[in-house]
Amino acid sequence: MSVRGGGLQRVVAIFIKDLKSYYSKAPVISWGILFPLTVIALLDLSARMLGEYRVVPAMLSITMLFASTSMSQVAVSFEKLSGAMQRVLYMPVGSAELVVAKSLGGIIYGIGGTGLAGILAYIMTGHVAMIRPAYFLAGVVLGSTLYSALSVLVSLYYNPVQAVAVLNIIRFSMIFLGGTLFPKALLPRILAGLAYFFPSVYITDLLRFGMYNTWEYVDPLTSLIVTAILLAATLYIAHRLALKVMLP
Amino acid sequence: MGGYAIEVEGLVKRFGRVYALRGLSFRVPRGETYGLLGPNGAGKTTTIRAIAGALRPTRGRVSVLGLDPSREPLRVKALVGVVPELPSLFPELTVRENLLFIARVYGIPSGEAERRMRELLEFMGLEAVASRRYGQLSKGLKRRADIAAALLHDPEVVLLDEPTGGLDVVAASRLRERLAALRRSGKTILLSTHNIGEAAELSDRLLVIYRGAKLVEGTPSMLRRALSARRITVYYRAGGSEVEASRLEEALQEALASYDPSGLRVAPGSVSVTVKRALDALWAIRETLESLGLKVEDVEVLPPSWEDVLLHHIEEAEEGGRTCRCGVGGSSAW
Ligand SMILES: Nc1ncnc2c1ncn2[C@@H]1O[C@H](COP(=O)(O)OP(=O)(O)O)[C@@H](O)[C@H]1O
Ligand SMILES: [Mg+2]
């Protein structure tokens, strides 16, 4: 018997299986949900001092980052640990299909998490600005996809323990140096310059522009282009890596 | 269509500085069960991965049903069912959910998937645990579920990587019954194992590999006949004088040198060894024992066990350094 059905069917099957298996796993709950909630609570304080337009997009951006990267990491690392990744390698699943399928859970978590954080922000502040929803939406979708694919890449390349460490380095440098937690005005010049190396800068400014019609580091069009390029590069590298994992 | 389902020719695989395979060649006729026998690290898993399209050979050629697995991995994977070395279904899902997921990945229509699933659950004796989570099953049941999963898309070629590895004797023997039934179904089966008895029981032909190269190939009975050797055990009594085991072993090695000895074991009260020309060798052993003041009490001469056959070939290969020389060049010494 040969394989029937297209790549889409395989991608969806893997995605649904991942959601069923991993949505309630400890790292997903703690990093993807509890941690962002804590950050949101903390940021509520600073919102009053620093201004909502600075803080609310940052907290949405951090939520997106943690939600999407934790889900994708679990979807790859847990399967490496259980041995099920071996089975996947023997299935007729293409390398691009594997990357997309493994990213989908994280994308959904990123988008959902950002939405939830938005609702929380609304509850805390009593209103939500959404002046340019298309930019906001682009930021959420591109950002979740980029973070999720990045996490798949890291989890495919490193063993599960290393992957957690590497992802935490990436996450926390994005929080502290990546233009999310600290507004540009508060950062020393050299650190503010460093921020441009992190995708979070562009994604946060996209959200900011979408909500408040203003930006802090980078103008929205540049942000859009840079995010799209970073996304394409990440997907490309993840795909090459998946090929290497599947046919070493 | 007759011919060969699997053809492997001069297969070399290098991982960094380690050669996992050094020019392995063999062919598996359609519909036969072929045993791939070798100790840990021999290269069994690497061979299976290369056949399944999950590994790119460093050199050499692999063909599965006429396809090159490293060029068309997806087509090969669709025709081949693999039972990996370790339990490998999704622990969070039940057995049934696992099978349904696999059916979706292989694009099996749901009606047909249901039917195949029912058949296979019955065939592997899994009906009672179909709704239990895979992660909670015993090792034996996990292996059966692994096999059901590998058969779901009705593959023409089935690759089993040490299916009974790590099972207790009861679970292993039950699983072998299922494998014997699978063998009768007419599929082409490649069965890797380090259990020589299992390989002999279940395979039409078998290949012994060691350090990534062919040691010997043949039918199980040919293999056994190939060795005219006998396993001799001599029971003795210390006639007053104590003899150190190492001294006795040395003396026996010397006395038996011309009898092609292998697997020499010296235990308190007995020595055993596999040799050619058993009768003459027996005299030599007796003389050696008596010269050391030991008295022969009883003697046992048996055909070699499968383990002896394997050990004999490995020892011979190590002495001659053949596996090393036959290495990368392609043709192996046997
Ligand atoms: N991915 C790998 N990286 C490095 N060495 C490997 C890898 N896979 C197998 N090997 C080495 O190749 C040899 C053969 O391994 P394997 O095929 O797993 O043997 P077997 O399955 O017969 O126990 C071993 O020495 C093993 O250490
Ligand atoms: Mg192995």
Side-chain angles (χ1 to χ4, degrees):
Chain A
M1 183 193 297
S2 62
V3 190
R4 282 169 281 186
L8 186 63
Q9 178 180 356
R10 293 192 284 275
V11 166
V12 170
I14 294 174
F15 161 63
I16 289 172
K17 185 264 300 166
D18 282 356
L19 275 190
K20 252 196 233 166
S21 304
Y22 304 123
Y23 75 96
S24 63
K25 288 290 165 200
V28 176
I29 303 279
S30 61
W31 286 116
I33 297 171
L34 295 181
F35 180 80
L37 283 182
T38 318
V39 173
I40 288 171
L42 287 174
L43 283 177
D44 182 45
L45 288 173
S46 47
R48 282 164 223 187
M49 298 185 292
L50 296 173
E52 215 182 290
Y53 78 96
R54 282 198 170 121
V55 174
V56 172
M59 75 187 215
L60 296 190
S61 179
I62 290 173
T63 308
M64 185 198 304
L65 171 65
F66 275 77
S68 52
T69 51
S70 57
M71 180 70 184
S72 302
Q73 191 250 323
V74 164
V76 175
S77 291
F78 270 52
E79 276 172 25
K80 279 192 174 179
L81 283 172
S82 74
M85 193 50 91
Q86 279 301 313
R87 172 79 61 178
V88 174
L89 299 186
Y90 289 127
M91 287 176 176
V93 176
S95 46
E97 288 165 27
L98 184 70
V99 171
V100 172
K102 285 294 167 191
S103 301
L104 269 179
I107 295 173
I108 298 300
Y109 255 67
I111 295 173
T114 316
L116 263 175
I119 294 171
L120 259 153
Y122 173 75
I123 293 170
M124 286 197 248
T125 58
H127 66 96
V128 150
M130 190 59 70
I131 300 172
R132 296 169 181 277
Y135 278 89
F136 180 82
L137 212 65
V140 174
V141 173
L142 284 177
S144 298
T145 313
L146 173 58
Y147 290 149
S148 190
L150 186 66
S151 175
V152 168
L153 195 166
V154 169
S155 310
L156 276 178
Y157 186 75
Y158 292 101
N159 75 41
V161 176
Q162 292 170 329
V164 171
V166 170
L167 280 174
N168 279 343
I169 292 170
I170 293 176
R171 287 163 180 156
F172 285 101
S173 31
M174 286 211 210
I175 290 191
F176 291 108
L177 306 172
T180 40
L181 197 58
F182 299 115
K184 193 178 182 180
L186 285 187
L187 282 181
R189 263 184 92 93
I190 190 158
L191 288 187
L194 214 58
Y196 291 96
F197 287 98
F198 293 97
S200 51
V201 160
Y202 309 96
I203 292 163
T204 310
D205 261 346
L206 273 176
L207 301 186
R208 190 169 283 127
F209 190 70
M211 296 175 83
Y212 299 98
N213 199 27
T214 178
W215 45 272
E216 191 157 12
Y217 284 83
V218 191
D219 68 277
L221 196 66
T222 311
S223 287
L224 213 53
I225 293 169
V226 173
T227 311
I229 291 173
L230 287 175
L231 174 59
T234 308
L235 284 174
Y236 176 76
I237 296 169
H239 174 234
R240 300 294 306 180
L241 199 65
L243 252 181
K244 260 210 174 128
V245 170
M246 298 176 98
L247 206 62
Chain B
M1 193 165 91
Y4 296 99
I6 303 171
E7 292 176 87
V8 172
E9 216 180 283
L11 183 61
V12 175
K13 181 61 189 182
R14 188 163 58 90
F15 292 107
R17 300 184 58 195
V18 181
Y19 277 91
L21 295 175
R22 310 160 184 262
L24 189 65
S25 305
F26 63 94
R27 291 192 286 198
V28 182
R30 266 175 203 266
E32 280 202 4
T33 297
Y34 195 86
L36 194 60
L37 178 65
N40 289 333
K44 302 183 294 293
T45 301
T46 308
T47 306
I48 284 183
R49 289 174 64 198
I51 295 170
L55 191 97
R56 197 186 292 282
T58 306
R59 234 172 310 145
R61 197 180 67 86
V62 180
S63 156
V64 179
L65 301 167
L67 300 168
D68 179 342
S70 63
R71 293 223 174 131
E72 300 185 272
L74 295 192
R75 283 184 70 190
V76 169
K77 285 173 187 179
L79 296 168
V80 170
V82 183
V83 177
E85 189 166 13
L86 296 172
S88 59
L89 290 179
F90 303 93
E92 293 83 5
L93 305 182
T94 66
V95 173
R96 189 182 300 278
E97 285 168 344
N98 265 298
L99 294 180
L100 285 176
F101 163 67
I102 287 167
R104 262 179 236 123
V105 170
Y106 283 88
I108 306 171
S110 60
E112 195 183 329
E114 276 292 335
R115 187 179 55 75
R116 292 275 311 152
M117 190 168 72
R118 254 198 322 272
E119 276 172 21
L120 283 169
L121 288 174
E122 194 199 324
F123 178 65
M124 295 308 300
L126 287 165
E127 293 130 310
V129 295
S131 304
R132 287 196 23 216
R133 280 193 188 194
Y134 176 77
Q136 294 168 347
L137 300 182
S138 69
K139 230 175 185 170
L141 288 172
K142 273 188 185 150
R143 287 322 259 158
R144 293 200 224 164
D146 289 342
I147 296 173
L151 298 176
L152 195 65
H153 63 293
D154 202 13
E156 281 190 61
V157 173
V158 184
L159 311 175
L160 299 143
D161 198 355
E162 302 204 28
T164 57
L167 299 188
D168 64 67
V169 282
V170 179
S173 136
R174 296 229 170 103
L175 189 60
R176 275 195 285 273
E177 281 169 27
R178 316 274 162 175
L179 294 178
L182 179 64
R183 180 183 174 189
R184 289 192 292 273
S185 74
K187 290 189 186 300
T188 306
I189 300 173
L190 184 71
L191 169 75
S192 119
T193 174
H194 64 243
N195 179 337
I196 192 163
E198 174 174 301
E201 178 190 331
L202 292 172
S203 351
D204 298 305
R205 290 182 75 76
L206 56 83
L207 168 71
V208 183
I209 62 171
Y210 185 60
R211 294 196 183 155
K214 182 195 293 193
L215 216 48
V216 60
E217 191 199 12
T219 61
S221 62
M222 256 174 64
L223 267 190
R224 201 197 281 256
R225 255 186 285 120
L227 265 182
S228 53
R230 288 292 177 270
R231 183 82 183 160
I232 299 180
T233 306
V234 177
Y235 298 91
Y236 64 85
R237 183 162 43 83
S241 60
E242 285 294 322
V243 180
E244 272 177 47
S246 59
R247 199 170 141 225
L248 179 53
E249 193 170 330
E250 231 169 74
L252 285 168
Q253 284 286 10
E254 206 182 306
L256 293 170
S258 62
Y259 299 97
D260 202 4
S262 63
L264 176 64
R265 304 259 180 285
V266 175
S270 76
V271 296
S272 45
V273 64
T274 304
V275 287
K276 297 238 169 85
R277 291 186 291 124
L279 220 53
D280 292 342
L282 198 53
W283 277 104
I285 294 173
R286 189 185 155 154
E287 272 175 11
T288 310
L289 290 173
E290 285 180 348
S291 74
L292 292 168
L294 304 171
K295 196 165 160 31
V296 174
E297 291 216 301
D298 198 2
V299 170
E300 197 176 76
V301 182
L302 294 169
S305 71
W306 285 114
E307 274 78 7
D308 296 329
V309 177
L310 182 54
L311 279 174
H312 173 87
H313 282 294
I314 290 175
E315 279 173 21
E316 211 165 83
E318 273 174 348
E319 276 161 24
R322 295 187 208 194
T323 47
C324 302
R325 262 194 295 114
C326 70
V328 192
S331 74
S332 54
W334 289 71

